[in-house]
Amino acid sequence: MHEVVDMATDDGPPLGVSVDDILASGRRVQRRRRTALAAGLAMAAVAAVAVTTTALVTAGPRTRTGKAAATAAVTSRPAVTRTPAGPLLADPLEFTFSGYSVGPVHVQNPIVAANAYQIAAVTVDGTTDSRHQGKVSDRHDVKPRLDASLTLYRPGAYAVQRLTGATSATVAGHPALKVEHHESFGPWLRTLAWEYAPNAWAVLDSNADEADRPTMRQLEATAAGLTGSAARPVKVPFRLSYVPAGYEVFAVGDHMTGSLDAVGGPGTGQYSGLFFAPSGFPTTGLRGPYDNMMPGAFEIEISATTADAPATPGCDSGLCTRPANDGTVTVGVAKNPDSLSDAEAMKVLNGIRLTDVRDTGTWVDIHTALAR
């Protein structure tokens, strides 16, 4: 699994983007997102990590090109006027933008705050997300699927050189790169990345059933509409009295658990997900956000109790849970084999003290939640 992280943060020659890369990536992203969003608490049993959300530059055969060609592609952009990013520049674990709409495209409020990025789901009128299974003809809503997100990276976090096969553009006066591809019976894959501040990039990713929901022009207009808002630390509905030595918070989900890419937006009955990674886990040179369980990581999950939730505290298949709030809430610690023992996971679990999960006014910011 550590090889996967090395691949995500490799400082070696940048990746070329071939048609095979793009098509394999699209298929992988669809499978991964459907699995992650359907799995809920069961994601703890997954012991691998999928380290990228950027749909156009991830999986598939990886052919490498020389650095000279990559440098030419990035530095040949026309000169543009840069404007200050202001409050968009975030401290770790903060939100610095809010939801907004540009025509039929709607950027939701961000619901993932990490040490390296923030993520918001993106929706388009007339579409649904991949939580709706089956072909359009098999579903009652008959809406085409769209998996789309906006990721705002901190300086140095995003490895933009891996988009060297892209076309140069500008977004609100900032350098930008864009890639799009479609082949028969496959999704329409689009990525738009723009440098909103020096060495800090925002990325819109779209994996769509239809050609015009959204178009690249619509993504460009949406990118140009991004503005900052007052910085606000992400909040959680609990306080935590115990964190194992050698771990630190990597990412927090607001009304989501079990995934770090935010596709589909907040989940019904999901309150909070808090990922802890080994200290020093890579936060720069990323191809995209981490997804699911990172090597050596564990997650605290707070969600509404489901019919199949265990009625008593305990651990099973990498997931330790206990009921709370008279059985209406399940508190869980999900881990993979190279992170915590069951005994350590139960110690974390028993150190969680909930606020009112349904009243966000009682929630506390992440720094207060960890104060001991």
Side-chain angles (χ1 to χ4, degrees), residues 166-260:
T167 302
S168 297
T170 59
V171 167
H174 297 269
L177 295 170
K178 57 185 179 181
V179 182
E180 55 186 322
H181 183 79
H182 171 70
E183 203 163 279
S184 297
F185 306 109
W188 295 80
L189 304 174
R190 296 183 172 93
T191 288
L192 174 65
W194 68 102
E195 192 178 22
Y196 69 91
N199 200 30
W201 292 77
V203 180
L204 276 166
D205 276 311
S206 172
N207 184 324
D209 278 356
E210 292 193 347
D212 58 352
R213 298 187 189 185
T215 63
M216 181 60 78
R217 186 179 295 275
Q218 287 173 329
L219 291 181
E220 290 174 309
T222 302
L226 176 65
T227 58
S229 61
R232 53 202 188 277
V234 63
K235 293 187 175 184
V236 296
F238 61 87
R239 296 174 186 266
L240 182 63
S241 63
Y242 176 70
V243 177
Y247 281 91
E248 59 187 25
V249 176
F250 184 88
V252 188
D254 182 356
H255 288 89
M256 67 177 298
T257 63
S259 176
L260 289 179

Side-chain angles (χ1 to χ4, degrees), residues 33 53 88 94-101 105-114 117-124 146-153 194 202-206 219 222 226-227 232 252-254 256 259-266 289:
R33 286 174 173 168
T53 286
L88 277 175
E94 283 189 348
F95 295 131
T96 61
F97 68 97
S98 299
Y100 66 99
S101 298
V105 182
H106 311 286
V107 176
Q108 308 299 312
N109 286 326
I111 57 174
V112 172
Y117 45 74
Q118 307 165 61
I119 317 176
V122 175
T123 61
V124 174
L146 170 70
D147 286 334
S149 61
L150 169 61
T151 305
L152 189 73
Y153 290 90
W194 68 102
V203 180
L204 276 166
D205 276 311
S206 172
L219 291 181
T222 302
L226 176 65
T227 58
R232 53 202 188 277
V252 188
D254 182 356
M256 67 177 298
S259 176
L260 289 179
D261 64 8
V263 170

Side-chain angles (χ1 to χ4, degrees), residues 51-73:
V51 291
T52 60
T53 286
T54 306
L56 300 178
V57 293
T58 53
R62 290 184 167 87
T63 56
R64 294 182 177 265
T65 58
K67 282 194 173 182
T71 303

Side-chain angles (χ1 to χ4, degrees), residues 302-356:
I302 313 296
S303 60
T305 297
T306 58
D308 59 350
T312 58
C315 299
D316 183 29
S317 300
L319 177 64
C320 300
T321 62
R322 65 174 174 85
N325 288 16
D326 297 324
T328 62
V329 176
T330 295
V331 180
V333 173
K335 59 193 179 67
N336 56 33
D338 60 347
S339 57
L340 305 182
S341 66
D342 285 354
E344 277 286 275
M346 287 301 299
K347 191 171 181 180
V348 173
L349 187 65
N350 292 328
I352 297 169
R353 295 292 177 265
L354 297 180
T355 66
D356 186 343

